[in-house]
Amino acid sequence: MSGRALDRSAAVRRVLRGLLVANIAVVIVKVAIGAFAGSLAVMGDALHSSVDAVNNILGLIVIRVAARAPDEDHPYGHRKFETLGALAIVVFLSITCFELLRSAIGRLLDGGHPVAITDAGLMLLLATLATNVFVAWYEHRRGQQLSSELLIADAAHTRTDVFITIGVLIGLLFSRQGHLWVDPVVAIVVALLIVRVGYQIAQRVVPVLVDERAIPEPAIRQSAQAVDGVVSAYGIRSRGGNTGVRYAEVTIAVDPNANVAAAHAIADAVEEKLKKELELEEVTVHVEPC
């Protein structure tokens, strides 16, 4: 494994460890408030936040695997395990959504349930809101810097926590006024927001897992054909998506009279040019006479 990959892996793990501590604290506070107040919306918010903590634990495991060097069974490395971990977040979100909807609809049909929230409880929820705002901002920024799908996906989930907590706070204020139906309705809205986040994460990770084209074919062709000695470029493929590590394959046609050394020199020039201009990790160049 390269030093750069090791540094990246270590940096992602440091971020996840710090976030895990913050998310566990948030979950504890929300569970305590939800249990004391008897609020399904707050408990749903706590359940949603607990997914963040689970994601952090999952991420620490996945990142260690994803950082392994290529081997005989995984010649392209283990980077996709990180993307697979991001997809696992969608599974956790689906479970959260189902349980929350089931409980909320049941309580709504029963006519609601009294919610008793103190001023101190409201202040603690505001503190968790501020924590989530910081965590979402920090995790997304570090995810972009480290090209980590896992951090970016988890940051999207944490951003939803922010909106959910705001909705829960508003719902609690109404519930204190005797509007018993508000709490389960807010819980249903929370569930719908969870569905939206799950869909957004799936949109990012599925193209990577199915090897969707990472770079437009014309961009690779134009760059390759700009190299002296290349008559044409075809058979172009690319993959990697937005994982930060992208691969490409291209076949170039050269003068049939060119000797082997000259043809290899042209192929090397194409490889270096594509890596530099299109930020590719690896380029495979096939040479054919025109």
Side-chain angles (χ1 to χ4, degrees):
M1 187 190 309
S2 68
R4 179 181 178 184
L6 282 171
D7 291 342
R8 175 187 177 277
S9 177
V12 172
R13 289 199 298 271
R14 284 195 299 271
V15 172
L16 288 172
R17 283 194 290 267
L19 296 177
L20 177 59
V21 173
N23 285 325
I24 288 176
V26 167
V27 171
I28 291 173
V29 171
K30 288 180 178 179
V31 168
I33 294 173
F36 180 80
S39 170
L40 182 60
V42 176
M43 292 302 291
D45 192 11
L47 183 60
H48 189 261
S49 295
S50 71
V51 176
D52 283 325
V54 172
N55 291 343
N56 295 151
I57 296 172
L58 173 67
L60 287 170
I61 298 171
V62 170
I63 290 299
R64 186 173 295 276
V65 175
R68 292 177 182 171
D71 54 34
E72 185 176 348
D73 294 326
H74 306 88
Y76 288 101
H78 299 76
R79 190 69 175 270
K80 277 192 179 180
F81 281 96
E82 182 176 342
T83 306
L84 189 62
L87 187 62
I89 292 176
V90 178
V91 176
F92 283 116
L93 290 177
S94 300
I95 296 171
T96 304
C97 180
F98 174 77
E99 290 298 325
L100 190 55
L101 277 174
R102 184 174 62 85
S103 300
I105 292 173
R107 182 172 290 189
L108 192 59
L109 293 176
D110 290 340
H113 187 277
V115 175
I117 183 73
T118 64
D119 291 342
L122 288 174
M123 293 302 295
L124 284 173
L125 278 179
L126 284 172
T128 66
L129 176 62
T131 301
N132 282 335
V133 169
F134 172 77
V135 166
W137 169 80
Y138 176 73
E139 189 172 18
H140 181 77
R141 183 171 69 89
R142 292 297 286 154
Q144 294 282 4
Q145 291 172 346
L146 298 170
S147 297
S148 171
E149 274 302 310
L150 195 61
L151 290 180
I152 294 172
D154 194 43
H157 181 214
T158 305
R159 280 198 298 273
T160 304
D161 270 347
V162 172
F163 295 108
I164 287 175
T165 303
I166 292 173
V168 168
L169 283 167
I170 294 173
L172 287 173
L173 292 175
F174 276 98
S175 296
R176 292 178 75 179
Q177 304 301 317
H179 303 287
L180 304 183
W181 57 270
V182 174
D183 189 66
V185 167
V186 170
I188 292 173
V189 172
V190 168
L192 295 177
L193 287 172
I194 293 173
V195 171
R196 180 173 177 269
V197 170
Y199 176 72
Q200 290 175 333
I201 294 174
Q203 276 189 312
R204 290 184 62 89
V205 302
V206 169
V208 177
L209 290 174
V210 300
D211 286 333
E212 184 177 278
R213 183 181 61 207
I215 303 173
E217 188 174 314
I220 297 177
R221 178 180 295 108
Q222 181 179 357
S223 183
Q225 291 181 170
V227 175
D228 289 339
V230 176
V231 178
S232 63
Y234 55 94
I236 297 170
R237 294 187 294 178
S238 63
R239 66 180 184 84
N242 46 22
T243 63
V245 178
R246 301 185 295 182
Y247 304 88
E249 295 180 25
V250 59
T251 299
I252 58 172
V254 300
D255 188 333
N257 296 319
N259 58 38
V260 174
H264 276 291
I266 294 172
D268 289 341
V270 170
E271 180 181 346
E272 291 304 315
K273 184 177 178 63
L274 291 178
K275 283 183 176 179
K276 182 179 180 180
E277 292 187 352
L278 302 179
E279 298 181 348
L280 292 163
E281 179 74 10
E282 184 176 317
V283 180
T284 302
V285 181
H286 305 281
V287 181
E288 295 287 346
C290 62

